[in-house]
Amino acid sequence: MAPPRTYRCEAIILGYTPLGEADLLVTMYTRDQGKVRAVGKGARRSSSKLVGHLEPLTVVKMSLAHGRNMDVISQAEVTQSFAELKEDLTAITKGQYLAELVDGFGAEANPNPGLFQLMIDCLRVIEATKGRESESASDMPLRFFEFHLLQVSGLMPELYNCVECRQELEPDAHRFSPNVGGTLCLDCSPDDAHLRPLSLRALKVLRLLDRSGIVEACKLPVDAGLADELKSLLSNTVAYWLGKEIRSNSFLERLHKESQPEVYI
Ligand SMILES: [Zn+2]
């Protein structure tokens, strides 16, 4: 039986680039299909019914038509605009960081509803707390996002036992490396360029991020030194995996394209 010609989906717009005279090539993350790239025909014309519906960091319900190479957006309805977030440059920048990570980690034709919901939850908290967080706590929604991005991607770091000797970790300073999968006790010294110190209080926050919801996590008291350690540790861990993921994603995408006999939009 032939697959249906059109489908509906709920999507977060991650970004777009101009295409041809008046079209947009839109990258979005959908709840049920994973990452989707689709064409908004005529979307750059002021008369288009798609104008204002395809802005980055907007949640939309849309109808798409399957194309040979690229799907085409036929209808879009905004369900969550994050208009207040978009009034604040710092909040926009945080949202763009989330969008870049979802673009990098999200794969086409590989749905991950947990990742979709994680991005929406984090955008909501960034919007609700914009402009009124303390300096050091203001990035906790990003740390929560990075941590749970690893979790929903199956890359959750080990936080309770040494990844080498499997001994339960004592309440002490330890070391951490994304390359070996998480935390190491002080007795284990693998030759690993990614190995870094991990303070006891940073380990405690990581364990709390594991157990907490985002609202609770963003209320944790975090001073500037701890905020810097968490930022360095989590953003470097995400970047470590992103380097690998981007290569595998683009390889899969190339394979997918090469399996299409004809290429047109
Ligand atoms: Zn060990």
Side-chain angles (χ1 to χ4, degrees):
M1 196 168 73
R5 180 93 183 89
T6 61
Y7 64 97
R8 284 184 63 77
C9 67
E10 191 175 12
I12 311 169
I13 308 295
L14 302 179
Y16 55 64
T17 51
L19 184 72
E21 289 258 314
D23 300 344
L24 286 178
L25 175 57
V26 183
T27 305
M28 62 190 106
Y29 197 76
T30 68
R31 188 189 294 275
D32 299 325
Q33 324 263 337
K35 189 162 74 176
V36 170
R37 289 202 184 95
V39 178
K41 292 248 184 212
R44 276 154 58 216
R45 294 199 181 97
S46 57
S47 58
S48 169
K49 62 185 189 303
L50 296 175
V51 165
H53 292 65
L54 303 175
E55 291 305 311
L57 310 180
T58 303
V59 184
V60 290
K61 280 190 174 153
M62 58 170 68
S63 300
L64 294 110
H66 287 295
R68 277 290 178 90
N69 184 45
M70 205 78 79
D71 294 352
V72 176
I73 301 165
S74 46
Q75 261 188 334
E77 174 198 349
V78 175
T79 57
Q80 203 155 349
S81 68
F82 291 110
E84 288 184 35
L85 181 153
K86 291 170 189 166
E87 291 170 359
D88 184 286
L89 188 58
T90 304
I92 292 172
T93 308
K94 290 178 182 177
Q96 285 170 338
Y97 176 64
L98 268 50
E100 276 175 33
L101 291 184
V102 170
D103 192 7
F105 275 80
E108 293 182 32
N110 185 8
N112 187 338
L115 179 54
F116 177 87
Q117 193 60 48
L118 176 65
M119 182 165 180
I120 290 183
D121 291 347
C122 288
L123 287 174
R124 281 185 184 142
V125 170
I126 291 168
E127 181 174 64
T129 58
K130 72 180 170 64
R132 58 182 170 84
E133 324 97 317
S134 71
E135 189 68 27
S136 53
S138 66
D139 284 347
M140 279 308 279
L142 304 185
R143 303 294 84 82
F144 184 91
F145 182 83
E146 289 161 340
F147 185 89
H148 286 273
L149 173 66
L150 295 169
Q151 191 177 49
V152 298
S153 304
L155 303 168
M156 168 79 175
E158 170 61 55
L159 301 173
Y160 297 91
N161 293 83
C162 171
V163 291
E164 285 276 300
C165 67
R166 304 309 303 169
Q167 288 288 316
E168 191 176 337
L169 293 167
E170 300 288 331
D172 200 350
H174 295 286
R175 287 168 305 162
F176 183 93
S177 169
N179 192 39
V180 294
T183 314
L184 287 144
C185 75
L186 291 175
D187 295 331
C188 292
S189 300
D191 185 15
D192 180 358
H194 299 278
L195 199 63
R196 50 180 299 137
L198 173 67
S199 71
L200 177 58
R201 57 192 197 139
L203 177 61
K204 284 182 174 172
V205 172
L206 293 178
R207 287 176 175 177
L208 279 167
L209 287 175
D210 183 23
R211 296 197 296 265
S212 309
I214 184 167
V215 174
E216 191 187 345
C218 292
K219 287 179 181 163
L220 289 171
V222 174
D223 63 33
L226 183 53
D228 284 349
E229 182 180 358
L230 292 166
K231 178 180 182 179
S232 171
L233 186 142
L234 282 169
S235 55
N236 283 324
T237 302
V238 163
Y240 170 85
W241 286 113
L242 198 54
K244 295 176 179 292
E245 293 296 309
I246 279 181
R247 281 196 291 278
S248 59
N249 274 352
S250 55
F251 180 64
L252 281 174
E253 283 165 16
R254 202 169 70 232
L255 280 181
H256 183 63
K257 286 199 182 90
E258 282 171 0
S259 69
Q260 309 276 343
E262 291 176 69
V263 178
Y264 67 86
I265 292 166

